[in-house]
Amino acid sequence: MIILDTGATRALAEGHKTLNLLAGNMARTPGDLLRIPALCLMRAESEDAGAADRVLAFSSVVIDDLSPSASVAVGTMVRDGYGGPDTCHALYCALPRAEFTGMSILLTDREQHYPPGVVTVGIDSPGMLGFS
Protein backbone atom coordinates (compact mmCIF):
# COMPACT_ATOMS: atom_id res chain seq x y z
CA MET A 1 0.00 0.00 0.00
CA ILE A 2 1.34 3.42 -0.94
CA ILE A 3 0.28 6.31 1.27
CA LEU A 4 0.76 10.02 0.57
CA ASP A 5 1.04 12.37 3.52
CA THR A 6 0.15 16.08 3.39
CA GLY A 7 3.39 17.16 1.73
CA ALA A 8 3.20 14.43 -0.90
CA THR A 9 -0.48 15.23 -1.49
CA ARG A 10 0.31 18.91 -2.04
CA ALA A 11 3.20 17.98 -4.32
CA LEU A 12 0.92 15.75 -6.41
CA ALA A 13 -1.63 18.57 -6.62
CA GLU A 14 1.12 20.99 -7.70
CA GLY A 15 2.27 18.72 -10.53
CA HIS A 16 5.30 16.96 -8.99
CA LYS A 17 6.70 15.13 -12.02
CA THR A 18 7.52 11.80 -10.35
CA LEU A 19 4.30 11.64 -8.33
CA ASN A 20 2.23 12.46 -11.42
CA LEU A 21 4.02 9.72 -13.34
CA LEU A 22 3.42 7.29 -10.47
CA ALA A 23 -0.30 8.18 -10.29
CA GLY A 24 -0.64 7.75 -14.04
CA ASN A 25 1.14 4.39 -14.04
CA MET A 26 -0.95 3.12 -11.13
CA ALA A 27 -4.15 4.08 -12.94
CA ARG A 28 -3.25 1.55 -15.64
CA THR A 29 -2.70 -1.28 -13.14
CA PRO A 30 -5.89 -2.76 -11.65
CA GLY A 31 -5.84 -2.78 -7.88
CA ASP A 32 -2.91 -0.36 -7.50
CA LEU A 33 -4.01 2.72 -5.61
CA LEU A 34 -2.47 5.72 -3.89
CA ARG A 35 -4.09 6.19 -0.49
CA ILE A 36 -4.41 9.64 1.03
CA PRO A 37 -5.45 9.88 4.69
CA ALA A 38 -8.51 12.13 4.99
CA LEU A 39 -6.77 14.50 7.42
CA CYS A 40 -3.84 14.89 5.01
CA LEU A 41 -6.25 15.81 2.22
CA MET A 42 -8.04 18.23 4.56
CA ARG A 43 -4.77 19.96 5.50
CA ALA A 44 -3.54 20.09 1.89
CA GLU A 45 -6.82 21.74 0.86
CA SER A 46 -6.64 24.19 3.78
CA GLU A 47 -3.16 25.27 2.60
CA ASP A 48 -3.89 25.31 -1.15
CA ALA A 49 -7.41 25.96 -2.43
CA GLY A 50 -8.28 23.42 -5.11
CA ALA A 51 -5.59 20.90 -4.13
CA ALA A 52 -8.23 18.30 -3.26
CA ASP A 53 -9.94 18.63 -6.63
CA ARG A 54 -6.64 18.28 -8.50
CA VAL A 55 -5.62 15.20 -6.50
CA LEU A 56 -9.02 13.52 -6.68
CA ALA A 57 -8.96 13.87 -10.47
CA PHE A 58 -6.50 10.95 -10.55
CA SER A 59 -8.38 7.66 -10.85
CA SER A 60 -5.63 5.91 -8.87
CA VAL A 61 -6.23 8.04 -5.74
CA VAL A 62 -8.48 6.91 -2.90
CA ILE A 63 -9.12 8.54 0.45
CA ASP A 64 -8.58 6.64 3.68
CA ASP A 65 -11.52 7.71 5.85
CA LEU A 66 -11.20 8.56 9.51
CA SER A 67 -13.37 5.85 11.04
CA PRO A 68 -14.40 5.98 14.71
CA SER A 69 -11.66 3.53 15.73
CA ALA A 70 -9.11 5.37 13.60
CA SER A 71 -10.08 8.71 15.17
CA VAL A 72 -9.40 7.30 18.64
CA ALA A 73 -6.02 5.92 17.58
CA VAL A 74 -5.05 9.14 15.77
CA GLY A 75 -6.16 11.24 18.74
CA THR A 76 -4.05 9.09 21.05
CA MET A 77 -1.01 9.52 18.78
CA VAL A 78 -1.49 13.31 18.73
CA ARG A 79 -1.82 13.38 22.52
CA ASP A 80 1.30 11.22 22.87
CA GLY A 81 3.34 13.66 20.79
CA TYR A 82 3.74 11.86 17.46
CA GLY A 83 2.78 15.01 15.53
CA GLY A 84 -0.24 16.88 14.29
CA PRO A 85 -3.52 15.27 13.26
CA ASP A 86 -2.51 14.87 9.61
CA THR A 87 0.89 13.36 10.44
CA CYS A 88 -0.70 10.96 12.90
CA HIS A 89 -3.40 9.92 10.42
CA ALA A 90 -0.68 9.15 7.86
CA LEU A 91 1.20 7.20 10.53
CA TYR A 92 -1.97 5.30 11.44
CA CYS A 93 -2.53 4.39 7.79
CA ALA A 94 1.02 3.07 7.54
CA LEU A 95 0.56 0.67 10.46
CA PRO A 96 -0.20 -2.99 9.67
CA ARG A 97 -3.92 -3.69 9.13
CA ALA A 98 -5.90 -6.87 8.57
CA GLU A 99 -7.38 -5.65 5.27
CA PHE A 100 -3.96 -4.97 3.68
CA THR A 101 -1.16 -7.45 3.28
CA GLY A 102 2.45 -6.55 2.71
CA MET A 103 4.46 -3.50 3.64
CA SER A 104 3.09 0.02 3.52
CA ILE A 105 5.21 2.78 2.00
CA LEU A 106 4.65 6.34 3.16
CA LEU A 107 5.59 8.97 0.57
CA THR A 108 6.52 12.25 2.22
CA ASP A 109 8.53 15.43 1.95
CA ARG A 110 9.45 15.19 5.64
CA GLU A 111 10.82 11.76 6.50
CA GLN A 112 12.15 13.02 9.85
CA HIS A 113 8.59 13.48 11.18
CA TYR A 114 7.96 9.73 11.38
CA PRO A 115 9.32 7.29 13.98
CA PRO A 116 11.80 4.52 13.18
CA GLY A 117 10.19 1.42 11.76
CA VAL A 118 7.86 3.30 9.42
CA VAL A 119 8.93 2.85 5.80
CA THR A 120 9.13 6.37 4.42
CA VAL A 121 10.35 7.47 1.02
CA GLY A 122 11.18 11.09 0.31
CA ILE A 123 9.31 12.35 -2.74
CA ASP A 124 12.45 14.07 -4.00
CA SER A 125 14.87 11.22 -3.29
CA PRO A 126 16.81 10.09 -6.36
CA GLY A 127 15.08 7.22 -8.10
CA MET A 128 11.99 7.35 -5.87
CA LEU A 129 10.15 4.05 -6.39
CA GLY A 130 12.30 3.29 -9.42
CA PHE A 131 11.43 6.47 -11.30
CA SER A 132 13.95 9.19 -12.16
Side-chain angles (χ1 to χ4, degrees):
M1 176 167 58
I2 299 177
I3 303 157
L4 279 68
D5 75 353
T6 301
T9 299
R10 286 205 51 204
L12 179 62
E14 294 167 0
H16 188 279
K17 182 180 176 181
T18 307
L19 289 175
N20 275 258
L21 183 62
L22 176 64
N25 286 341
M26 292 186 86
R28 291 189 291 275
T29 308
D32 282 347
L33 299 170
L34 297 172
R35 297 186 90 64
I36 299 176
L39 294 180
C40 293
L41 183 65
M42 180 266 320
R43 177 136 185 228
E45 179 64 25
S46 73
E47 295 171 351
D48 177 13
D53 290 335
R54 294 189 303 274
V55 166
L56 293 172
F58 289 98
S59 63
S60 58
V61 169
V62 295
I63 304 305
D64 200 279
D65 295 331
L66 190 63
S67 67
S69 60
S71 63
V72 172
V74 169
T76 301
M77 288 181 200
V78 171
R79 183 189 65 228
D80 291 347
Y82 285 96
D86 61 321
T87 300
C88 290
H89 194 192
L91 179 57
Y92 173 81
C93 289
L95 295 174
R97 296 197 238 177
E99 62 267 26
F100 299 111
T101 58
M103 176 94 41
S104 293
I105 299 170
L106 181 58
L107 300 182
T108 182
D109 63 345
R110 50 197 174 133
E111 293 176 89
Q112 70 281 3
H113 287 177
Y114 297 97
V118 177
V119 179
T120 58
V121 175
I123 59 172
D124 293 317
S125 64
M128 184 200 58
L129 298 178
F131 299 110
S132 303

